[in-house]
Amino acid sequence: MLIRRRRGYEIPESQVTPEGFVVNRRALFGAGAALLPGVALAQQAAGVVPPLPEHQRNLRFRPERDITPEREATTYNNFYEFGTSKNIVREASRMPLRPWTIQVDGMVAKPATFGVDDLIRQLPIEERIYRLRCVEAWAMTVPWTGFQLSELLKLVEPQAGARYVSFTTASLPAVMPGLRQSWYPWPHVEGCTMEEAGNELAFMPVGMYGKPLQAQNGGPFRVVFPWKYGFKSGKSVVRITVTDRRPENFWFKIQPSEYGFWANVNPEVAHPRWSQATERLLGSGERVPTRLFNGYGEFVAGLYTNLQRERLWA
Ligand SMILES: Nc1nc2c(c(=O)[nH]1)N[C@H]1C(S)=C(S)[C@@H](COP(=O)(O)O)O[C@H]1N2
Ligand SMILES: [Mo]
């Protein structure tokens, strides 16, 4: 299925790019003109979020249930930087999404800082419908647009000996009231192993429902590990570090007895305070059985066969 460009969503009227300008900009892409960086920079300086380029849905990843209504998925959020309620859209909308850069560093041959729009242009983007399971036992099914994490890592060439990858969320005290809650170990850092990062499911969304990713869902750029509890899928990422040491993740620091490093979904391993056997679907409110690895075992079970002594499920 072809995702058509849509214009004028979710950004203030004053920032909507006039059609003529969009067409000109695309002509410039085609020509690979030297003017392009200047145009892109001018747009960024104005805080304009460009529409996503056309892209295809990848049918290899089958949701096996209905897509969550867009309204539900974009208004019921966990994003503690903006507050601990599920209703943080208004606060998050104050976060400027351009310019936005991602620093990729650590044990890589070619450390680099990328502008988010450069990545969108350089890397193959596609749509994937993934299930997302929060550790709190609600779940949604979302069409993400993005690229595979492995494609980004290829650009920086991880070195031999690299074992983990960490993802750091933006810390913007001026727009993130949650950062004042100083008992939380900001910034939000989550991580995975190199093998997990190389798995084809590890995805970096820059869009959702065919549109650029909004702030409340981790715009402009986040990570998603669909087989793990949602807290591993860090939002609004500004830094990706390749390292040989296991990152101490945000939720592990808050409550190590409840939230570990691996956090793979397993219906048979209860959270210390509630069962994980079933989950509530956003939208319909239906309760459905939770699936091992959130239903992605065929892709990821092999990552864990030699890790039986690790606390893989919480
Ligand atoms: N930076 C940051 N990333 C975060 C969180 C957060 O509070 N801060 N919450 C996590 C949790 S608990 C979940 S379930 C998902 C929710 O993503 P969604 O709001 O897009 O559904 O984001 C995860 N990523
Ligand atoms: Mo979550």
Side-chain angles (χ1 to χ4, degrees), residues 92-147:
S93 71
R94 299 196 184 101
M95 176 166 68
L97 299 183
R98 293 293 188 286
W100 193 279
T101 57
I102 303 110
Q103 179 185 348
V104 190
D105 61 6
M107 297 177 68
V108 295
K110 296 181 174 169
T113 297
F114 300 97
V116 68
D117 296 310
D118 299 330
L119 287 181
I120 293 172
R121 271 196 300 272
Q122 265 187 68
L123 296 176
I125 69 164
E126 62 183 35
E127 185 181 71
R128 297 182 179 188
I129 306 172
Y130 278 172
R131 297 176 293 275
L132 183 140
R133 170 59 153 80
C134 176
V135 73
E136 299 162 336
W138 55 267
M140 61 180 188
T141 310
V142 171
W144 303 107
T145 295
F147 42 81

Side-chain angles (χ1 to χ4, degrees), residues 77-81 134 140 169 188 217 222 230 233 235:
N77 301 104
N78 273 335
F79 203 159
Y80 277 34
E81 284 83 342
C134 176
M140 61 180 188
T169 292
H188 184 283
N217 291 104
R222 75 180 297 177
S233 294
K235 293 177 164 182

Side-chain angles (χ1 to χ4, degrees), residues 29 81 100 137 152 223 228 260:
F29 286 166
E81 284 83 342
W100 193 279
L152 172 55
V223 62
K228 294 176 175 288

Side-chain angles (χ1 to χ4, degrees), residues 4 27 91 123 140 159 167 172 215-216 228 233-234 238 272 284 301:
R4 306 231 167 259
E91 287 76 13
L123 296 176
M140 61 180 188
Q159 292 168 341
F167 304 84
L172 302 167
Q216 69 271 23
K228 294 176 175 288
S233 294
V238 292
S284 70

